[in-house]
């Protein structure tokens, strides 16, 4: 019947022997299609607990699939009794789909044991999602190398999979869901998949400041590898990661802001002009949902206690002052959206930063810094009026 594409007739049948028929076919080694039909039958019949359990096992299996022997429709009598070998491989995408549907069925079920599975299933989905991300990168590169296409790493995370041994390793990704440790040690760490490393740390709830900062340093450095479209790439990357980790300790906001100021100014290569325009930080404030107070406080702290580059080198000093001017001007332009009390508070903090920059600009015999001081004087007048 299944061969004649009559699966829907089985699912719609009111016969009390449907489950017995399907489990018999599975026990006879008839293949994955009958297992898929069985969980669909359970779901359609309202046996959500059974469907969730079967889907979970299908997602977990490797070369052997656990088969069911019909006992009754009672969940307490629903047992996995025998093994049946199938030649069919289950892809990672299919396992992901099984887990996702298992969660839906478990949520609809009534048995407490099934309800208790939900968090475990969600954890597996998160691991599978990470594995899918690695698979996507590796398969794209496998396809490109077979067609003579070269991908430079640039700001994108990539893998060198040109050797047969590495290609065999990649094939492991499209099968059983691997452990986070395997994904980290065999793929994410050796191939420099920095965003994946961050996802693994977050998924495993592993936090240690030094490795997290190292991962973020690598993420930021990779975006600066090529100058073309650095600002746009950075904004997209940071917005993407903020959406995932913004409310967690895996998004070290102040570290990111300080490093962007340093790297964007050319601190790592002092022979170069600043890479990120001052307007970048205005856009960043919006992308990361930062308050003006938060950003100005980081900016002031970095200037006072950060690298001597900011106070002892005219290029660095000029850059950080230009960033300050751009951000304060953006606040003044958007002042109408704040309440009078909020405006006064933000204006006072901005004015403190502006006054600090203005004093230092006047103390240096530089035409560029004196020009900036005129901007500071104009901003000071507007901020004073707003904060009073």
């Amino acid at each position: 019947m299944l061969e004649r594409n009559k699966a829907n007739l089985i699912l719609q049948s009111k016969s009390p022997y449907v489950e017995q028929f399907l489990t018999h076919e599975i026990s006879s080694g008839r293949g994955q299609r009958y297992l898929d039909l069985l969980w669909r039958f359970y779901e359609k019949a309202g046996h959500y607990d059974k469907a969730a359990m079967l889907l979970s096992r299908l997602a977990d299996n490797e070369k052997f699939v656990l088969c069911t022997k019909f006992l009754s429709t009672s969940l307490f009598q629903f047992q996995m009794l025998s093994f049946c070998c199938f030649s069919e491989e289950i892809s990672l995408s299919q396992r992901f789909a099984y887990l996702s549907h298992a969660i839906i069925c478990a949520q609809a079920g009534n048995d407490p044991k099934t309800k208790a599975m939900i968090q475990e299933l969600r954890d597996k989905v998160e691991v599978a999602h990470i594995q899918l991300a690695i698979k996507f990168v590796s398969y794209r590169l496998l396809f490109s190398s077979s067609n003579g296409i070269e991908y430079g790493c640039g700001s994108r995370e990539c893998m060198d999979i040109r050797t047969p041994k590495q290609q065999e390793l990649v094939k492991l990704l499209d099968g059983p869901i691997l452990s986070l440790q395997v994904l980290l040690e065999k793929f994410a760490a050796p191939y420099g998949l920095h965003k994946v490393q961050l996802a693994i740390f977050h998924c495993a709830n592993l936090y240690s400041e030094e490795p997290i900062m190292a991962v973020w340093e690598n993420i930021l450095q990779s975006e600066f590898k090529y100058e073309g479209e650095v600002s746009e790439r950075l904004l997209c990357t940071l917005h993407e990661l903020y959406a995932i980790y913004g409310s967690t300790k895996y998004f070290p906001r102040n570290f990111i802001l300080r490093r962007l100021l340093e790297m964007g100014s050319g601190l790592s290569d002092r022979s170069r002009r600043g890479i990120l325009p001052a307007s970048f930080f205005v856009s960043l404030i919006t992308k990361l949902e930062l308050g003006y107070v938060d950003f100005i406080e980081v900016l002031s702290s970095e200037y006072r206690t950060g690298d001597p580059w900011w106070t002892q080198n005219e290029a660095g000093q000029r850059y950080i002052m230009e960033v300050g001017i751009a951000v304060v001007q953006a606040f003044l332009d958007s002042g109408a959206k704040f309440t009078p009390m909020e405006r006064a508070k933000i204006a006072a903090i901005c004015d403190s930063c502006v006054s600090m920059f203005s004093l230092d600009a006047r103390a240096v015999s530089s035409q560029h810094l004196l020009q900036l001081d005129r901007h500071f004087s104009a901003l000071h007048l507007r901020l004073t009026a707003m904060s009073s």
Side-chain angles (χ1 to χ4, degrees), residues 181-193:
Q181 183 175 354
V182 170
L183 292 174
L184 178 64
E185 293 178 353
K186 290 189 177 293
F187 297 96
Y191 292 108
L193 305 179

Side-chain angles (χ1 to χ4, degrees), residues 259-296:
R259 289 300 290 137
L260 287 174
L261 284 167
E262 292 169 354
M263 296 163 74
S265 71
L267 173 58
S268 58
D269 185 351
R270 302 190 182 193
S271 64
R272 297 167 61 185
R273 185 74 172 87
I275 299 169
L276 298 177
S279 59
F280 166 84
F281 293 94
V282 176
S283 300
L284 185 67
I285 286 172
T286 302
K287 291 287 187 182
L288 303 189
E289 300 177 313
L290 285 169
Y292 286 105
V293 169
D294 295 327
F295 185 85
I296 290 297

Side-chain angles (χ1 to χ4, degrees), residues 95-377:
R95 294 171 194 272
F96 186 88
Y98 283 147
L99 287 171
S100 300
H101 212 89
I103 293 173
I104 295 172
C105 290
Q107 289 172 331
N110 296 313
D111 189 85
K113 292 181 180 178
T114 311
K115 295 289 187 185
M117 292 169 51
I118 293 176
Q119 187 55 51
E120 180 185 350
L121 291 170
R122 286 174 175 160
D123 291 342
K124 289 180 180 179
V125 164
E126 193 170 354
V127 176
H129 190 266
I130 292 171
Q131 189 168 328
L132 279 168
I134 300 174
K135 176 192 164 187
F136 173 78
V137 174
S138 62
Y139 272 52
R140 183 189 65 193
L141 291 169
L142 188 62
F143 172 80
S144 66
S145 62
S146 67
N147 286 275
I149 302 171
E150 293 292 333
Y151 275 97
C153 284
S155 67
R156 299 181 182 274
E157 297 176 314
C158 63
M159 301 167 62
D160 183 355
I161 54 171
R162 288 171 289 187
T163 69
K165 181 179 179 180
Q166 290 165 330
Q167 291 176 9
E168 282 299 315
L169 188 62
V170 166
K171 290 180 182 178
L172 292 176
L173 292 167
D174 197 24
I177 298 170
L178 304 174
S179 69
L180 288 173
Q181 183 175 354
V182 170
L183 292 174
L184 178 64
E185 293 178 353
K186 290 189 177 293
F187 297 96
Y191 292 108
L193 305 179
H194 310 307
K195 294 178 189 176
V196 173
Q197 290 180 58
L198 185 62
I200 289 173
F201 289 142
H202 179 259
C203 183
N205 197 28
L206 292 174
Y207 183 84
S208 179
E209 184 171 316
E210 186 174 344
I212 295 299
M213 298 306 174
V215 167
W216 269 104
E217 177 69 19
N218 287 328
I219 290 173
L220 296 176
Q221 288 282 2
S222 67
E223 298 296 333
F224 278 90
K225 186 165 186 179
Y226 296 110
E227 289 194 31
E229 305 297 330
V230 170
S231 297
E232 289 302 317
R233 286 202 312 269
L234 263 173
L235 286 173
C236 289
T237 295
L238 291 170
H239 182 62
E240 170 196 342
L241 296 177
Y242 174 76
I244 302 170
Y245 310 110
S247 61
T248 75
K249 56 191 175 183
Y250 297 92
F251 193 89
R253 186 193 65 184
N254 287 3
F255 171 82
I256 293 168
L257 293 178
R258 289 176 183 273
R259 289 300 290 137
L260 287 174
L261 284 167
E262 292 169 354
M263 296 163 74
S265 71
L267 173 58
S268 58
D269 185 351
R270 302 190 182 193
S271 64
R272 297 167 61 185
R273 185 74 172 87
I275 299 169
L276 298 177
S279 59
F280 166 84
F281 293 94
V282 176
S283 300
L284 185 67
I285 286 172
T286 302
K287 291 287 187 182
L288 303 189
E289 300 177 313
L290 285 169
Y292 286 105
V293 169
D294 295 327
F295 185 85
I296 290 297
E297 286 180 343
V298 171
L299 190 73
S300 299
S301 174
E302 176 66 12
Y303 182 73
R304 291 192 185 100
T305 63
D307 195 282
W309 164 253
W310 303 124
T311 54
Q312 298 177 16
N313 184 288
E314 183 181 336
Q317 194 169 30
R318 181 179 170 188
Y319 181 84
I320 199 169
M321 288 181 176
E322 288 174 346
V323 171
I325 289 173
V327 171
V328 171
Q329 186 63 57
F331 159 65
L332 291 171
D333 292 342
S334 62
K337 71 179 184 180
F338 299 102
T339 66
M341 186 175 295
E342 289 172 336
R343 279 199 303 272
K345 178 183 177 182
I346 300 171
I349 292 172
C350 287
D351 192 36
S352 176
C353 179
V354 164
S355 298
M356 173 185 66
F357 284 153
S358 181
L359 286 172
D360 284 0
R362 292 173 189 173
V364 179
S365 57
S366 164
Q367 187 63 33
H368 292 303
L369 293 182
L370 288 176
Q371 288 176 353
L372 291 180
D373 182 49
R374 285 193 281 273
H375 284 288
F376 291 135
S377 297

